[in-house]
Amino acid sequence: MDRRQFNIAAGAGALAALSPFGIVRAQAQKLKVGVILPRSGYLSFIGQSCQKGADLAPGVIKEMLGVDIELMNADFETSVDTARTRAERLIQEGAHVLVGPFDSGAASAIAQVAEQRGVPFIINIAAAPQITEQGYKFVFRNFQTAGDIVRNGLDLIGELFQATNTVPRTAVYMHVNDTFGQAMTKGIQALMPTRTQLPFKIVDTISYDPAAKDLTVEVSRAKAANADFVLYVCRLNDAILLRREMVKQRWNPMGIISPGSPGMYEEQYFKTLGKLSDYSISNVPWYNPNAKLTRVVEKAFLKQNPNDKLVFHGLNAGFTFEAIYIAADAFKRARSTDPKVLAEAIRQTNITDKMTLGAPIKFNAKGQVEGIGSACVQNRDGLPTVVLPKNAATAQPVFPAPYYKR
């Protein structure tokens, strides 16, 4: 060994001694982000919507933070088992961090893989509370839990009734029976008795498979309950089925209100139903249209999707973009792709320049973000429109819906 080779070897030995956990790693030039989304299957439209936020992230983040990002995209086909195998494969192929997956069931499966393999996993959208109640060290969620969604959603329902001077006395509760729907149902059952300002009681509860192809029986039963309005936890495809079936059966309650679920603000809901999509209400985490980062993201979004509108993808694209933004911010501070170092940097996140409503992005000891805000979003003239709270509203709420028949 000549002197030059000796010096190189000695330097490597010194680096090993100084490197955390005794791992020798050269400073990575880019962050490899494994993005797992349901781009096919019954959640495909929403998965593709989330993907738009992922696709614009590398360019925007490069300009903002100077961080190079390589996306490693995977479709889990709306299958929990496939989500697990896709996560394994992305890690084997070198992903430094995982992002996704929109669905709570898939998120639970990916979280197990990420924790076992010791790779950070940042959840963009998924609300089942148990995901961040397992004591995981590598799992982080930048989204409300089902309990938070229900709490905010029910409070907004109270504000809606007050703003429109209405006093509905009864509701029929309809919900998907997947992991998300079950979590939301538990939240509603726990919180409804504490919301004394709400004037209504639930007279019937009807659950169904989110992949159902027909809701004739369920809508017939709901109509027979003779409730004032529909309290609704849904996905996209079933929301379309339900609205069509309501028209077919000539059922016109005061309205359809979601205390916090996807589906009725999605672009495909508007495209498929046309005017029938109007006046549906979703109380959900939302993006701030006045935020500086929103304007930056919207510019990049329109450049990549010139025939589209951010308003139809703001929630999906916004939270997906932010998940990748969190990873890039941590990578820049950590200056390492070592999974333990990167996870610790994510844990120390404090992002104030954000796109979504609510407090700065900070994670508690469980890896759960706190302080994300919600908005009452009503479909109006073919667009999802914020009608509450007043300081974020661009229109006045309308309730009951004009189609209501006493």
Side-chain angles (χ1 to χ4, degrees):
M1 178 183 294
D2 61 26
R3 179 174 294 180
R4 181 173 179 276
Q5 291 172 321
F6 175 81
N7 289 338
I8 292 173
L15 180 61
L18 294 173
S19 178
F21 316 109
I23 299 172
V24 180
R25 290 178 185 266
Q27 172 60 40
Q29 297 300 308
K30 63 174 61 177
L31 180 69
K32 296 181 179 181
V33 180
V35 180
I36 311 177
L37 294 167
R39 299 200 308 271
S40 61
Y42 67 84
L43 292 176
S44 60
F45 286 114
I46 297 175
Q48 292 163 20
S49 178
C50 290
Q51 187 68 49
K52 293 178 186 291
D55 290 342
L56 64 83
V60 173
I61 290 172
K62 173 67 174 178
E63 188 170 337
M64 289 177 61
L65 303 179
V67 171
D68 286 317
I69 293 173
E70 177 185 335
L71 296 184
M72 303 170 66
N73 297 315
D75 173 16
F76 74 85
E77 303 169 9
T78 317
S79 164
V80 171
D81 289 338
T82 302
R84 184 178 290 105
T85 59
R86 293 291 187 272
E88 288 279 7
R89 182 182 300 174
L90 285 170
I91 293 171
Q92 291 171 1
E93 293 175 350
H96 301 132
V97 59
L98 302 179
V99 163
F102 179 83
D103 175 68
S104 288
S108 295
I110 296 167
Q112 294 171 9
V113 173
E115 194 69 15
Q116 291 166 359
R117 298 293 298 272
V119 172
F121 171 37
I122 303 173
I123 297 170
N124 64 338
I125 301 169
Q130 62 267 27
I131 297 170
T132 46
E133 294 292 330
Q134 307 297 316
Y136 292 147
K137 302 301 182 185
F138 291 89
V139 178
F140 305 88
R141 171 164 47 190
N142 184 43
F143 198 72
Q144 294 179 5
T145 66
D148 293 331
I149 292 175
V150 171
R151 187 179 300 107
N152 293 337
L154 292 178
D155 288 347
L156 282 168
I157 289 175
E159 291 182 36
L160 172 70
F161 294 162
Q162 185 176 21
T164 55
N165 295 312
T166 53
V167 188
R169 296 298 183 185
T170 57
V172 57
Y173 174 47
M174 304 185 72
H175 69 92
V176 289
N177 62 8
D178 59 7
T179 303
F180 168 68
Q182 292 171 10
M184 290 290 289
T185 299
K186 288 180 181 178
I188 290 171
Q189 292 170 342
L191 290 170
M192 272 293 293
T194 71
R195 291 313 190 253
T196 56
Q197 78 277 19
L198 296 179
F200 66 91
K201 65 177 181 178
I202 295 174
V203 294
D204 197 4
T205 297
I206 302 169
S207 67
Y208 59 85
D209 188 334
K213 302 298 183 183
D214 184 275
L215 293 177
T216 302
V217 173
E218 288 80 3
V219 170
S220 178
R221 174 177 161 184
K223 181 182 179 182
N226 198 32
D228 291 329
F229 74 100
V230 182
L231 186 67
Y232 194 32
V233 172
C234 57
R235 299 292 195 176
L236 172 59
N237 291 356
D238 57 289
I240 294 171
L241 285 176
L242 178 117
R243 187 71 189 98
R244 280 176 164 168
E245 189 60 35
M246 288 175 67
V247 173
K248 182 179 178 181
Q249 296 193 26
R250 298 181 181 179
W251 178 34
N252 298 297
M254 295 177 76
I256 308 170
I257 305 176
S258 170
S261 64
M264 296 190 296
Y265 54 78
E266 307 289 350
E267 183 175 25
Q268 198 62 30
Y269 188 78
F270 291 87
K271 284 185 174 180
T272 303
L273 294 174
K275 291 184 178 180
L276 294 178
S277 65
D278 272 353
Y279 301 104
S280 298
I281 294 173
S282 306
N283 295 339
V284 287
W286 203 248
Y287 71 99
N288 181 356
N290 299 317
K292 178 182 176 182
L293 184 56
T294 297
R295 292 193 289 272
V296 173
V297 169
E298 185 168 29
K299 182 179 179 181
F301 180 90
L302 293 175
K303 184 176 180 180
Q304 289 194 1
N305 308 277
N307 298 318
D308 217 335
K309 296 180 180 179
L310 180 64
V311 69
F312 289 118
H313 306 276
L315 188 155
N316 300 325
F319 278 101
T320 304
F321 168 82
E322 278 193 355
I324 298 173
Y325 181 23
I326 290 165
D329 171 74
F331 173 64
K332 183 176 181 178
R333 287 182 285 108
R335 295 191 294 178
S336 173
T337 56
D338 180 279
K340 292 184 179 179
V341 175
L342 191 56
E344 183 57 32
I346 295 171
R347 200 174 306 281
Q348 301 303 319
T349 296
N350 183 9
I351 295 176
T352 57
D353 183 12
K354 56 178 289 190
M355 180 178 173
T356 52
L357 288 169
I361 300 173
K362 296 181 180 180
F363 297 103
N364 64 21
K366 297 177 180 180
Q368 174 63 45
V369 78
E370 296 178 341
I372 293 178
S374 293
C376 180
V377 180
Q378 185 169 43
N379 297 352
R380 301 281 286 277
D381 299 321
L383 293 173
T385 305
V386 176
V387 295
L388 289 170
K390 289 183 179 180
N391 61 1
T394 57
Q396 295 292 322
V398 174
F399 191 84
Y403 57 71
Y404 173 54
K405 293 182 180 180
R406 297 180 186 277

